[in-house]
Each structure stands twice: as structure tokens, then as C-alpha cells.
Amino acid sequence: MIAEIVEAIKIASRSLMQHKLRSGLSVLGVVCGVMAVLAMIAVGEGTKEKTLKQIGELGIRNIFVKAVSLSDEQVQIARELLSEGLRFYDRERILSVVPDVEDIACLKEVRAAVISAVNIEFSPQIIACSANYASIQRLHISEGRFLNNQDIEGNQLVCAIGGDVAHKLGINGQIGKFLRIENELFKIVGILDRFYRDQEAITTMAIRNVNEMVLIPLGAENLLTKREEVQNIQSLTELIVLIKSAEKVFRAGEVIKRTLDLSHNGVKDYQIIIPLELLRQAQRTQRIFNLVLGAIATISLLVGGIGIMNIMLASVSERTKEIGIRRALGATRMDIILQFLAEAFMMTLMGGCIGIITGIANAFIISKVAGWKTSVTFPAIFLPLVMSVCVGLFFGLYPAVKAAKMDPIKALRTE
């Protein structure tokens, strides 16, 4: 059987070389189809990796509780219902009520001016945070240390700064130097590693750029607070709740929601964001996206396969006498089928290989020109190639069977 297949491939090669232009045009349709399949898979995989990476950075065991800005009318309603917004009390209540919680970090955005000794445009984001913020958000220190509980309990004027902040400050951004925030001097005790993120990517929740942040102990911001804002010193901007395991995140999220609904008397002055839920939504969306891309790419391959079938039907008609001679010399119907299937196989394999090369180049061009992330994986190469060969064999089968069923005597009489 192997010898017969090898012989069929040799005959098919000679036949294809005798009709180079026609064979080339047939292959072109497969090339376009494979190129489309690979490019679409590469774009889809790149989008998936980008989305999953960004959502993963939020932490799949984390639940974010963010304070929501209210309109004047909503503020009035909240006051009537005795809701004071997101506060430190909410942290204590969640810890006491939700057993699946491992830890909670507190954050408060501070509106204050950083006065630099160097003449540069300088407006970092100032965040007052608890000592566990770095561990929960998996931040790393390149120099010095992060804020600790002693800094918070002692109301120490110290700070940790992002990598970009340290770079802009130059020698004034080193450990032991002082950073002026409003009228207070904060000693720099730590510098964070630079954290590279795609800041242009969009999710339901904006990811903080820690490179541009100045972190001070929670409570130290009160020294920077104006007198008219004293009543808000216990308010928080965000709580980051770390759950003991990913399997308990959704259950804990429901309990946290009910707990806050009760403590805020039904006022929606907070928002709960669960990255794990975003991750699953992104995966569902990606599956739908892949199905749509796969359908479009499959249509492209089918068009190429139909082109091959048309060319092979024309070839069968032109080579009727050749088929009759082969049958008269002892070739069986299976030999004829193998001959034409070998031609279809070789055309689609050749078209698939060229399509793979052009598809990889196309994915690279898309990435550079459009700025989209693409990812050429092994399935992105293997799947289009196998699909192209299967399509070629499927559409080549009918012409091959038609050729094999010819009456040898009538075929020999054909002019």
C-alpha cells in the first residue's frame, strides 16, 4: 500500500508540474484561507493573553471594594439613611463577619501637592495605605523597606515611592532623603520595583500605576487634611479583600455584599469588583470570539477547497484518455482515486505551508501596524495546516471517485 501511495505521489507531482499556472492558482485559494485562519487565531490568542494577564494582575483571590462618587442628591439620601460611605469600620465588620477572608488592605487617595527640589513636572498619586498593601498586591521593594504597622501606629512621616518617582527625583529620590508633601517632610524609606503594565488596556477596573505613586502610612494623611475636611478623615477610597482560596471568592463576595448592604443601610455608595469573575467573563467572551473567527476562517478555507474541486473536475475531463489508458494497462479504481487524491493532497499541503509562512508574517505586520498583541502558538500553526489538508482531500474526493468510475473503453475512445 505504501508503494502505491508513493507511486501516486510521483504521478501527481508530474501532473502538477505540467500545469504550473493552473496548479498555482488552485494553491492560491488555500494559501489565502490558511493565512486567514492563522492570522485570526494569532490575534485571538494575543487578545486572550493580554486580557487574562491584566485581570490576573488584579489577583484572582482578591475582591475590590471601591468608594463611589455620589451626586448631591444621592449624598443627601445617603445622609438621611445614615450611610457614611466606605470607612475603616467596614474593614473591621467584614473581618468579623466573613470567615473566608484572610486579610484586608485599606487605601485612601490623598489630594496634596508634592513639592520637588528639582524643577520638573511632578504630580505623583499620593496614597495612604495599610502595611499589608504591598503583600496583597504582590509589590516588590528594590531598595529599603515598605511601610509597617509601627509607622502607622506611631503616625510616622515616612513614605515608599514608585520606581518612576525615584527616577524623576534623581539623587533626591534615594533612601533617607526627604520628600515634601504640602507642609510636611516625609522620609523616603523604600523604593518599589518598576512594575510594567499595559496602561492602555481597558478593564472594568482601572489598574493603579504603582510606578507613579507615593505611599504614606494610613493616618498620616490627616496631617495634610484641611480643617473643613476633618469630618472625612475616617473615610477610605478602597478596600482590597484577600480571600483564603480562589474557590471561596464568589461565596465570600456574596457575604461581603450583604454585609455592606446592611452597614450602609442599602445605599449604593460602594462598588464590588471580583477579578475572578472578570476572568471568567473574559474567557466566555474569548470562546465566542474564537468561534466567530473560526467560522470566518473556515469559510475562507472552504472557498479554497471549492476552487481545488473545480480545477480537478476540469482536469479529470481533460485527462479522460489518460485515465482510460491507465485502466487498460491494469490500474485499478483505487489507483485512480489515489492519483487524484495525491494531487489534491500535494496542492493543499503546498498551499498550507505557504499560508503558514505568510500568516506568521501577516500576524507580525498586524502587531506592528495596528498595535494589536498577537501570539503564534503551535495550535495556530498545526490547526490551519491540518484543516487545509482535510479540506483538500474532502473536495478532491468527488473528482477522484468520478475519474475512477469512468468506463475504460469509453475513456479510450475520447478525443
Side-chain angles (χ1 to χ4, degrees):
M1 185 66 181
I2 296 176
E4 294 174 355
I5 293 175
V6 172
E7 183 62 27
I9 291 175
K10 289 180 180 179
I11 296 172
S13 301
R14 288 195 296 268
S15 175
L16 293 175
M17 291 303 294
Q18 290 174 357
H19 303 89
K20 296 184 181 65
L21 180 60
R22 186 170 65 187
S23 301
L25 292 175
S26 301
V27 167
L28 186 60
V30 178
V31 170
C32 294
V34 171
M35 182 175 63
V37 173
L38 192 148
M40 288 181 179
I41 293 177
V43 170
E45 284 296 316
T47 303
K48 180 179 75 173
E49 288 181 10
K50 184 176 181 179
T51 303
L52 299 188
K53 178 176 179 291
Q54 189 188 21
I55 295 175
E57 287 172 355
L58 294 172
I60 60 172
R61 288 172 55 203
N62 291 343
I63 295 176
F64 292 81
V65 183
K66 289 175 63 73
V68 176
S69 298
L70 302 178
S71 63
D72 293 340
E73 182 181 351
Q74 290 172 325
V75 169
Q76 184 62 35
I77 295 173
R79 287 174 179 172
E80 292 175 359
L81 293 174
L82 303 179
S83 176
E84 299 177 325
L86 194 64
R87 302 174 78 82
F88 192 79
Y89 167 77
D90 291 313
R91 175 187 184 276
E92 302 303 318
R93 188 174 178 88
I94 291 172
L95 279 173
S96 63
V97 173
V98 187
D100 296 326
V101 172
E102 182 176 318
D103 205 356
I104 301 178
C106 302
L107 275 80
K108 183 175 181 179
E109 294 179 0
V110 182
R111 294 182 180 179
V114 177
I115 302 172
S116 171
V118 291
N119 186 22
I120 57 173
E121 292 185 4
F122 194 64
S123 56
Q125 185 181 24
I126 303 173
I127 297 291
C129 65
S130 54
N132 55 0
Y133 175 68
S135 60
I136 290 180
Q137 286 294 85
R138 304 190 303 277
L139 302 180
H140 300 285
I141 301 294
S142 62
E143 296 181 48
R145 64 173 177 84
F146 195 67
L147 311 175
N148 55 38
N149 289 323
Q150 288 74 27
D151 296 327
I152 295 173
E153 293 168 1
N155 213 22
Q156 300 294 318
L157 297 181
V158 294
C159 67
I161 60 177
D164 288 350
V165 174
H167 178 72
K168 290 178 181 179
L169 288 173
I171 62 171
N172 294 312
Q174 298 176 357
I175 300 296
K177 297 291 185 178
F178 287 87
L179 186 64
R180 188 180 185 88
I181 305 176
E182 294 293 345
N183 295 320
E184 303 292 341
L185 290 175
F186 285 77
K187 185 179 179 180
I188 299 173
V189 296
I191 299 175
L192 298 172
D193 273 342
R194 285 190 177 180
F195 199 89
Y196 296 98
R197 283 187 173 118
D198 183 3
Q199 295 298 324
E200 295 180 357
I202 298 174
T203 60
T204 304
M205 177 180 176
I207 301 177
R208 297 181 186 277
N209 184 4
V210 296
N211 301 320
E212 295 285 349
M213 285 168 50
V214 174
L215 298 121
I216 63 176
L218 191 66
E221 78 280 0
N222 297 336
L223 299 173
L224 310 173
T225 304
K226 298 177 183 179
R227 290 182 180 274
E228 59 271 19
E229 297 176 349
V230 170
Q231 66 272 20
N232 294 321
I233 62 175
Q234 293 298 321
S235 65
L236 295 173
T237 303
E238 186 177 310
L239 293 174
I240 305 176
V241 184
L242 178 64
I243 307 303
K244 293 178 180 178
S245 66
E247 292 75 19
K248 299 178 180 179
V249 166
F250 290 109
R251 182 177 67 184
E254 290 295 325
V255 179
I256 290 172
K257 184 178 183 303
R258 289 197 298 269
T259 301
L260 292 177
D261 279 343
L262 289 173
S263 63
H264 289 235
N265 297 315
V267 178
K268 296 299 182 182
D269 50 7
Y270 65 90
Q271 179 186 19
I272 296 178
I273 297 173
I274 304 177
L276 184 59
E277 185 177 357
L278 299 179
L279 179 63
R280 293 185 177 179
Q281 289 175 354
Q283 289 173 333
R284 287 194 295 268
T285 303
Q286 186 62 40
R287 282 194 290 269
I288 296 172
F289 182 64
N290 287 340
L291 287 174
V292 173
L293 290 182
I296 295 172
T298 302
I299 291 171
S300 301
L301 271 178
L302 289 176
V303 171
I306 292 171
I308 286 179
M309 184 173 68
N310 288 336
I311 294 296
M312 289 193 65
L313 284 172
S315 177
V316 168
S317 299
E318 291 177 359
R319 296 159 62 188
T320 301
K321 193 166 187 177
E322 175 192 334
I323 295 169
I325 293 172
R326 288 203 65 200
R327 290 297 308 278
L329 293 176
T332 63
R333 287 186 173 183
M334 183 55 67
D335 293 331
I336 302 300
I337 290 175
L338 285 176
Q339 176 187 345
F340 283 95
L341 282 181
E343 291 184 20
F345 172 77
M346 292 187 66
M347 282 192 290
T348 51
L349 182 62
M350 189 186 307
C353 292
I354 297 173
I356 293 295
I357 296 171
T358 54
I360 293 174
N362 202 23
F364 178 78
I365 293 171
I366 290 172
S367 179
K368 290 297 181 182
V369 176
W372 297 350
K373 179 176 174 58
T374 58
S375 177
V376 180
T377 59
F378 176 74
I381 295 174
F382 182 73
L383 183 62
L385 186 61
V386 171
M387 285 179 64
S388 67
V389 172
C390 291
V391 166
L393 292 177
F394 176 78
F395 283 100
L397 184 61
Y398 174 71
V401 171
K402 182 179 179 182
K405 286 184 177 180
M406 283 186 180
D407 187 331
I409 297 175
K410 291 182 179 179
L412 284 171
R413 292 175 178 174
T414 302
E415 294 297 333

